[in-house]
Amino acid sequence: MAQPTKRFNVAAGKPYTTRDGEEKKQWVNIGRATQWDDGGISIEFTAMPVGNWWDGKASLFPQDEDRQQTQQRRPQRQAPQDDFQQDSEIPF
């Protein structure tokens, strides 16, 4: 069975113009790709651009392993706690 050797982010470049008139691209993450030890590459799309800006092209960027691990270790945000006590009985 093939094993993953590299992982990539799949992104589409959305062009925009800065206030100074400079042309730039905003990279929109649209999925991920995995390269396997047998040479194959699989692509999983999590989003598809539908705007008239998209030219049908996508780019692969190597995943930053340190960033990936940091995001996985990051504690989940918890809902804010109210300042009142909740009663065990519902009054209605």
Side-chain angles (χ1 to χ4, degrees):
M1 180 174 223
Q3 297 294 318
T5 59
K6 292 182 183 175
R7 298 189 190 274
F8 301 89
N9 292 320
V10 180
K14 182 177 182 179
Y16 71 96
T17 305
T18 66
R19 292 181 197 180
D20 300 331
E22 185 180 0
E23 298 277 329
K24 290 191 169 190
K25 282 190 181 182
Q26 173 187 7
W27 292 101
V28 179
N29 190 354
I30 61 172
R32 60 184 173 187
T34 303
Q35 183 175 17
W36 302 93
D37 60 2
D38 64 359
I41 296 176
S42 60
I43 301 172
E44 175 186 357
F45 291 102
T46 56
M48 289 302 288
V50 295
N52 62 359
W53 59 268
W54 191 48
D55 59 2
K57 296 178 184 177
S59 298
L60 298 180
F61 296 96
Q63 279 189 347
D64 183 358
E65 295 300 323
D66 294 335
R67 181 177 175 195
Q68 196 74 5
Q69 290 173 359
T70 302
Q71 288 177 348
Q72 289 173 355
R73 287 187 304 222
R74 195 176 290 166
Q76 294 291 326
R77 293 182 68 189
Q78 295 187 6
Q81 298 294 321
D82 293 329
D83 291 336
F84 63 90
Q85 294 279 340
Q86 289 184 341
D87 294 332
S88 60
E89 295 181 26
I90 299 175
F92 52 90

